[in-house]
Structures are given as structure tokens and as C-alpha cells.
Amino acid sequence: MENLKKFYIGGEWVEPISTATMPVMNPATEQQIGTVAMGNQADVDRAVAAAKAAFESFSQTSKAERLALLDRLMEATKARFEDLAQAMSAEMGAPITMSREAQADAAIGHLQGFIDALQEIKQRETLSNGDTLLREPIGVCGLITPWNWPMNQIALKVVPALATGCTCVLKPSEHTPISAMIYAEIIDAAGYPAGVFNLVQGDGVSVGSAMSRHADIQMMSFTGSTRAGSAITKDAADTVKRVTLELGGKSPNLVFADCDLEERVAGSVQEVMYNTGQSCDAPTRLLVERSVYDQVLDIAKRTAESIQVGNPAEEGDHIGPLFDRIQYDRVQEKIQTGIDEGARLLTGGLGKPEGFDTGWFCKPTIFADVHNAMAIAQEEIFGPVLVVIPFDSEEDAIEIANDTPYGLAAYLQTGNPERAERVAARLRAGAVHINGGGFNYGSPFGGYKQSGNGREGGHMGLEDYLEVKTLHFG
Ligand code: NAD
């Protein structure tokens, strides 16, 4: 934890220029578990200068050299796997079993996806007109990540930067600095040249904004709220940076009467509550064919009530607390909004579950009889809260599904394969999960509309970090 009060710049753990700090809290115990240094513009300048200097030589490395470094990164990541899992469990409340199986696993899964993609990607090709096309690293990249899937987001940004020959400055969420610090130690252990990867901790307003405005950063990759994504885009406009954004979601889940209701509805409810509802692509709007509406409500209620809330330090498939008091208050406010709007509270509701006075625990909650125009159907809640909306026809379902500013993911439950294809083609979302199909490492991830632009992971995730140069030979 020594390095939490330092930044990793130019291949060393250095004393910050800023003297500001912030406590790091465990959301289950409400106890302070560390103190993180909070950087400023001068810290950013120093990190960017190190990344700019390192770009000169790192951008000229061969694919084989970078693949060898990624193999070392894989070894170093595996060696610190348990530390990553424990850190995320303590700093954002992910139950330890899930923290290992999903949160920490993402560091390895995405890395493998990028190794495979880098092996396949053509960095030089000849066009049919005889010209030569080169794909080159874009430059110094500014990477900003959120707290809800800390390692997933860091791996999705840092690994493609390193894989393509870019250099980078990472600013993780100020709420999850421990896992980011460990990841910097992992990169150091892998033997990356000094300045290729740099870590500055801090908040969005000072460190994040200084990065977005920095003249020597050529690209910003951001994951977080639509609000911050919009602010970064504006900050980056004066220096005409490339900006890729992975933002919020309010993903629809269309349940047709012809699916295996018991299995698919239970699976859907569990997916909403997973990570205590703090996933950008969670299927938070359950759209249900009216003929099976009551049956679905019954299954959904039973499923939500069977979900255990528990201590994240203990093994098991329970859900943990929300990541912080801020999030607990936001979720309570949204539940109150649902009640005020006249939605029917099917299960859960305001307050903490019985026996949980300490910690930011929240009840798995379902609202029925919701209209898509209600705030709880339009706004991201980012907690274990599901809204259920009936529909009358396939056309009606598609219209409700697309009636949102977001377009990150959509989910579809049907026993009819032709309908699955037909409906999936009309859903305005970056991914459609059919009958429980899950995400695979190496596939692109990203959204339509206000859920962002660009795609992370695998081939497309590498392309975001590459510039294209054409050689015209005389
Ligand atoms: P947030 O936008 O508040 O913060 C995310 C990051 O941005 C943090 O590091 C924060 O310090 C930084 N930041 C905040 N304001 C900034 C600014 N003006 N300039 C630069 N940086 C700034 O989001 P959060 O609360 O940490 O995360 C939750 C949000 O992230 C949700 O909206 C969720 O949907 C979204 N998310 C999206 C994806 C995706 O891939 N689409 C994945 C995970 C989370």
C-alpha cells in the first residue's frame, strides 16, 4: 500500500507534486483501508512528458517484441491474480468469488483476446491500386476508467495501447485506486521500458480534465458516465484528439411468451443483480409479452427474493454492497422516484436489507407496471433495481426497446430463431444477447447513440489505437 501515495511515472514510483489525498473506504465495513494521493495538472504534465519521451522508441518496436512483452505481462498478471481480486473486493465490494471469477479474470481474458488479435492484425498491406497502407500507433494515450469493473476497464485500455506501440497515462477511478496500483506493479514486473505506462491517481475535474486538454496526448479513451464522456469530448476538442467513449446504458430485455420462461426470466433477474446492479450493460428494463406478464412477475419476484446479500469478503454467490455511500444515496433516490411515479413495488424497496446496518447494502428491487416514459425506465439507476414493462406485439416491443437515449446492449428471450434474427436486426444496440448468450473475450464491446463511440476488445479494440498511413511509391 506504500505505492498508493505515489504515482508510477517514467518507470519509477515517484512522490506526487500535488499534496492532496483522499481516504479509500471499504463499502462493506465503512472503514478506511488506505489513503490515495490525488494528482494535479503538474503531475499530469510530468507523466505525459515521460510517455512522450518513451513513444520515440516504443513506437518503433516490432510486433514480435511487443508480443513477447505481452506474454511477460500475462505471467506477471497471473502472479498477482489473487491480489487483484482481493483489492477489488475491498475497495468496491465485489464478493470475493465473483471478484476472482469475473473482475480479476478480465485482466487475463482481455489480455489473451488482444494477444490473439495482435497476432492476426496486418500492420502493412498493399492495396489493389498498388499503394501501401501502414497501421501505426497513434501516440500518447490518456486512459480514464470507472470503479464498477476496475480491472476489466483498465485491461481494455492499457493492453491495446501497449500492444500497438502507444504509450499511455492511466487515471483510474479515485474510488478504486488499489487495483490500479497493483496493475502498475504488474506492468513494472513485466519489464516494460520506462515511460511506456504511467499512472496518475486523482479525480476527474483536475487530473482527468488536464489529460483531456493536454496538447501532447493524441487520444483519450474513456469509460464512465455519459455526463463525464460529454465533458471529456468538449475538453479534447481544442486539440482535436481522437476520443473513444464507453458510456452508460439502460438495456432492454425482450421476453417473448415462446421462450423457456422459468429459466430465462430467472437468469435475466440474476444478471441485473450481478455486481449489485453496477454494470453498464445490465438488462435493467424487462419488456414482457402481456400474455405471460403475471407468470413472469411471479418468477422474477421469486428469483429476486432468493438472491442473498452478504459480506464480500466471504465466498459464495451472494451480492455485495454498492460501492460507496454516494451510490447508495443515488439508488435510494431512484427507488423513491419509482414509488412517486406510481410504479408497483413488487419486491425490495427503500432502506438496507435486514441485519445490514453497516455497509452500503441495498435490497434487490423490482418495479412492475412501469411505463417506458417514467424516469426509472429512462435513467440509469446503477443498482440492483429492475423495471418491468408489458408489451402487446413484436413491433411494440422493438419500439419500447429503442425508446431510450442509450444503446449499449439488448437482450432477447425467444424460442423462435427466425424471430431472434428479425428482432436483433432492429435493436439499436452494440450487442444483442440471445437466450442467455454471454460476452466472449476478444469480441468488440461498445454502444450506439449516447452509450458512446468506438469498440473495445480484440481487433476493433486495437484499431482505435492505430493511425493509418498511406505510402505512394513513384
Ligand atoms: P464517472 O463518469 O463519474 O467517472 C468515471 C471516470 O471519469 C472516473 O475516473 C472519474 O474520475 C472520471 N471523470 C469524471 N468526470 C470527469 C471529467 N469531467 N473529465 C475527465 N474525467 C472525469 O462514472 P462512474 O460513476 O465512475 O462509473 C459509472 C458509469 O460508468 C455508469 O454510467 C456506467 O454505465 C458507466 N460504465 C460504462 C461502461 C461501458 O463500457 N459502456 C463500463 C463501465 C461503466
Side-chain angles (χ1 to χ4, degrees):
M1 294 290 250
E2 198 34 34
N3 289 336
L4 209 51
K5 290 188 188 150
K6 296 182 180 169
F7 299 148
Y8 185 74
I9 297 178
E12 290 176 325
W13 288 98
V14 300
E15 291 297 329
I17 297 166
S18 161
T19 53
T21 61
M22 190 178 117
V24 185
M25 308 297 289
N26 177 320
T29 62
E30 297 179 44
Q31 297 295 309
Q32 184 171 346
I33 51 172
T35 302
V36 62
M38 300 286 279
N40 61 18
Q41 166 92 52
D43 291 301
V44 171
D45 287 345
R46 187 175 172 191
V48 174
K52 188 181 175 188
F55 185 74
E56 287 299 316
S57 53
F58 195 63
S59 60
Q60 301 303 312
T61 51
S62 68
K63 189 200 262 198
E65 286 170 303
R66 293 196 305 278
L67 279 168
L69 276 168
L70 291 177
D71 283 344
R72 299 230 293 270
L73 182 59
M74 181 66 91
E75 289 314 307
T77 307
K78 285 181 179 167
R80 299 291 304 275
F81 182 86
E82 183 62 18
D83 292 344
L84 287 174
Q86 293 289 350
M88 288 183 279
S89 182
E91 67 190 356
M92 55 77 64
I96 189 62
T97 306
M98 177 266 189
S99 193
R100 290 188 187 113
E101 289 174 357
Q103 294 275 14
D105 186 67
I108 289 174
H110 288 306
L111 175 53
Q112 190 57 55
F114 284 120
I115 289 174
D116 296 343
L118 183 61
Q119 274 160 345
E120 287 161 15
I121 205 165
K122 284 194 195 136
Q123 285 188 281
R124 183 185 181 101
E125 62 182 294
T126 307
L127 302 179
S128 56
N129 62 9
D131 281 348
T132 296
L133 190 147
L134 303 180
R135 289 192 179 80
E136 300 184 336
I138 188 167
V140 177
C141 303
L143 315 175
I144 301 182
T145 54
W147 48 265
N148 62 331
W149 282 91
M151 223 8 80
N152 184 65
Q153 302 311 141
I154 287 177
L156 279 170
K157 297 186 192 312
V158 172
V159 179
L162 302 180
T164 51
C166 292
T167 59
C168 61
V169 178
L170 168 68
K171 190 210 83 65
S173 169
E174 59 273 38
H175 303 290
T176 48
I178 303 176
S179 51
M181 174 200 76
I182 295 171
Y183 201 66
E185 293 170 355
I186 289 172
I187 290 174
D188 186 72
Y192 274 88
V196 167
F197 168 85
N198 304 276
L199 170 73
V200 178
Q201 310 264 20
D203 63 20
V205 182
S206 45
V207 176
S209 179
M211 287 165 62
S212 311
R213 286 183 281 104
H214 208 291
D216 288 332
I217 290 185
Q218 279 76 46
M219 167 187 170
M220 290 299 299
S221 176
F222 171 75
T223 298
S225 61
T226 299
R227 172 202 61 78
S230 158
I232 287 166
T233 307
K234 287 175 193 155
D235 278 340
D238 285 342
T239 46
V240 197
K241 288 180 178 49
R242 182 180 295 176
V243 179
T244 68
L245 303 170
E246 300 292 346
L247 308 175
K250 192 75 187 178
S251 300
N253 184 356
L254 288 66
V255 178
F256 290 94
D258 60 11
C259 76
D260 178 344
L261 281 181
E262 191 70 42
E263 199 235 14
R264 289 290 73 242
V265 173
S268 298
V269 172
Q270 278 155 358
E271 207 160 339
V272 175
M273 308 302 172
Y274 193 62
N275 205 29
T276 318
Q278 302 166 116
S279 295
C280 49
D281 62 344
T284 48
R285 285 187 298 147
L286 195 72
L287 315 187
V288 181
E289 191 159 0
R290 205 178 290 277
S291 61
V292 291
Y293 187 65
D294 289 338
Q295 208 182 330
V296 166
L297 290 185
D298 181 53
I299 303 167
K301 182 173 189 297
R302 256 191 289 125
T303 308
E305 289 173 358
S306 73
I307 291 172
Q308 301 293 313
V309 176
N311 181 353
E314 282 169 18
E315 307 228 8
D317 62 0
H318 53 279
I319 61 169
L322 293 162
F323 93 96
D324 192 282
R325 182 188 191 120
I326 316 167
Q327 195 63 13
Y328 178 81
D329 288 344
R330 277 185 208 149
V331 170
Q332 294 300 306
E333 208 181 291
K334 298 282 187 196
I335 294 174
Q336 185 61 55
T337 302
I339 295 168
D340 295 345
E341 284 179 310
R344 171 158 62 104
L345 191 59
L346 196 63
T347 185
L350 291 167
K352 294 183 180 180
E354 231 179 88
F356 287 91
D357 294 338
T358 305
W360 306 115
F361 295 92
C362 174
K363 297 177 197 165
T365 296
I366 301 181
F367 282 107
D369 307 347
V370 173
H371 301 293
N372 202 48
M374 288 181 180
I376 54 166
Q378 288 292 318
E379 295 169 11
E380 200 176 32
I381 298 178
F382 233 55
V385 183
L386 173 67
V387 303
V388 191
I389 305 170
F391 68 80
D392 292 307
S393 65
E394 192 176 295
E395 203 54 38
D396 188 24
I398 293 167
E399 196 182 313
I400 299 170
N402 288 333
D403 180 17
T404 161
Y406 296 114
L408 190 54
Y411 298 73
L412 190 49
Q413 323 299 336
T414 174
N416 177 343
E418 283 157 27
R419 167 181 271 160
E421 290 282 346
R422 189 170 63 229
V423 175
R426 306 232 352 242
L427 294 172
R428 304 279 299 156
V432 182
H433 300 263
I434 300 162
N435 295 327
F439 175 80
N440 292 311
Y441 294 125
S443 286
F445 185 90
Y448 284 30
K449 302 196 281 184
Q450 290 183 31
S451 289
N453 46 56
R455 291 292 180 272
E456 296 197 301
H459 269 267
M460 297 190 80
L462 290 181
E463 279 165 20
D464 277 349
Y465 292 77
L466 293 167
E467 271 290 12
V468 167
K469 180 182 282 172
T470 315
L471 300 183
H472 307 279
F473 290 101

